[in-house]
């Protein structure tokens, strides 16, 4: 089944403790992206990647890192999480860059930073 | 700058009633327009999209949307809502040459039996 998977689905952590949220797609998509969803703000893009070893900042990149060493994986790294990074995070992928190509979304990761 | 506005934060309708969710965009050229649905605990699923051509587009689950350039709108409609349509709906505009989508803030739909 074609899908985007994220792990973990739920995570509670403390300020400053490094964490990684994994994202993997099995559709051989070139484009991958991370969003955060906050009430009243909709989805905002954090980082995106057009292909392996190619990443770029989205609208809200501060406090996040990404890497794209393999085509299928695009982990999101929070080196020193803070409470303002408490949010719902979505990974998405598409055959090539939007808007011409449909983005497929993962189920989301709900992160709480205390 | 490009932007998307969904003026209704929360809408409640009775099952079987018609539905219209509003979306307005700000973009200099003809945009790529999308509607996504997010069911509870799920990721976003594409309902429909407009790139060019016929301004009335049909999507999945019985939804349709109409692009009105003069009003900078792309409203989502459904003639008869089902309880399973309760979800959050997001309008998005695709910005060509920037490799990104800009999302609205969402409209939460509640359906009463």
């Amino acid at each position: 089944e074609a899908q985007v998977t994220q792990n973990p689905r739920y995570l509670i952590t403390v300020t400053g403790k490094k964490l990684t949220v994994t994202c993997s797609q099995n559709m051989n998509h070139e484009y991958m992206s991370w969003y955060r969803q906050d009430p009243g703000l909709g989805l905002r893009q954090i980082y995106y990647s057009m292909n392996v070893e190619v990443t770029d900042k989205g609208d809200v990149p501060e406090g996040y890192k990404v890497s794209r060493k393999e085509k299928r994986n695009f982990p999101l790294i929070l080196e020193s999480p803070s409470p303002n990074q408490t949010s719902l995070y979505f990974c998405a992928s598409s055959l090539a860059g939007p808007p011409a190509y449909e983005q497929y979304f993962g189920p989301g990761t709900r992160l709480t930073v205390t | 700058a490009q932007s998307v506005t969904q003026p209704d934060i929360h809408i409640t309708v009775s099952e079987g009633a018609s539905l219209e969710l509003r979306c307005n965009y700000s973009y200099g050229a003809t945009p790529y327009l999308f509607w996504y649905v997010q069911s509870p605990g799920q990721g976003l699923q594409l309902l429909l999209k407009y790139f060019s051509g016929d301004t009335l587009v049909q999507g999945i689950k019985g939804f349709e949307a109409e692009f009105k350039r003069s009003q900078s709108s792309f409203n989502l409609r459904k003639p008869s809502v089902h309880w399973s349509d309760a979800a959050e709906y997001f309008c998005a505009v695709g910005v060509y040459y920037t490799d990104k989508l800009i999302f609205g803030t969402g409209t939460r739909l509640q359906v009463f039996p």
Side-chain angles (χ1 to χ4, degrees), chain A residues 46-114:
Chain A
I46 303 171
Y47 269 95
Y48 65 96
S49 169
M50 294 295 291
N51 212 327
V52 176
E53 303 291 0
V54 179
T55 63
D56 210 343
K57 296 178 180 178
D59 298 315
V60 288
E62 295 76 21
Y64 304 95
K65 284 178 57 178
V66 292
S67 68
R68 187 92 181 273
K69 293 181 170 47
E70 306 167 279
K71 199 171 188 178
R72 64 183 293 126
N73 297 322
F74 189 46
L76 179 69
I77 304 158
L78 285 72
E79 298 241 335
S80 183
S82 63
N84 64 14
Q85 293 178 298
T86 292
S87 188
L88 179 59
Y89 292 86
F90 287 102
C91 180
S93 73
S94 55
L95 193 61
Y101 293 90
E102 178 182 350
Q103 289 198 62
Y104 293 82
F105 285 80
T109 295
R110 186 166 293 281
L111 172 65
T112 302
V113 183
T114 62

Side-chain angles (χ1 to χ4, degrees), chain B residues 9-57:
Chain B
I9 297 172
H10 186 201
I11 284 182
T12 301
V13 300
S14 298
E15 191 170 18
S18 63
L19 172 70
E20 182 169 27
L21 302 182
R22 296 183 291 166
C23 173
N24 293 95
Y25 66 90
S26 172
Y27 184 53
T30 299
Y32 294 77
L33 294 163
F34 305 81
W35 274 100
Y36 284 85
V37 60
Q38 183 183 19
S39 299
Q42 305 290 318
L44 277 73
Q45 181 183 21
L46 181 67
L47 280 176
L48 47 77
K49 61 188 177 186
Y50 171 79
F51 285 0
S52 64
D54 192 347
T55 57
L56 184 63
V57 294

